[in-house]
Amino acid sequence: MKKSKFTETQIVSILKQADAGVPVKDICRQAGISVPTYYQWKSKYGGMEASDLKRVKDLEAENAWLKRMYAELALDNAAMKDLIAKKL
């Protein structure tokens, strides 16, 4: 997937302009994005603040770390079971 040229904080600020009453077409023209992109952003980032974005990023990083840790432990557990089964 193509990386966006906008950061999450920029996206939130663009969405805040629409909440202030600026028409969506004007916002899209000013930012250089399409209307469907605006609505995709709105569905993903709607109602978020910059502090919420940081919290979500931290939680996603912690979740990825926990998933990696679980995968490593599951592999170790399977290897131990195989070793025990061979000894018996």
Side-chain angles (χ1 to χ4, degrees):
M1 182 166 45
K2 184 178 177 185
K3 179 140 172 72
S4 177
K5 65 180 180 177
F6 296 96
T7 63
E8 284 88 4
T9 53
Q10 290 172 331
I11 292 170
V12 169
S13 68
I14 290 170
L15 294 176
K16 292 287 182 195
Q17 290 177 0
D19 293 340
V22 180
V24 173
K25 287 185 179 183
D26 293 342
I27 293 170
C28 293
R29 189 177 319 113
Q30 181 183 5
I33 59 172
S34 65
V35 175
T37 300
Y38 169 81
Y39 285 109
Q40 286 175 350
W41 287 353
K42 187 174 179 181
S43 68
K44 186 173 182 181
Y45 299 108
M48 288 185 141
E49 298 289 331
S51 60
D52 295 336
L53 285 172
K54 174 148 177 55
R55 185 169 178 265
V56 167
K57 286 287 184 183
D58 291 343
L59 288 173
E60 286 175 350
E62 182 181 1
N63 192 22
W65 177 75
L66 289 171
K67 284 182 179 182
R68 280 193 307 275
M69 187 174 69
Y70 172 77
E72 290 172 3
L73 288 174
L75 285 173
D76 290 345
N77 189 13
M80 292 292 185
K81 283 183 180 180
D82 288 343
L83 184 64
I84 292 171
K86 286 181 183 177
K87 285 188 176 182
L88 295 176

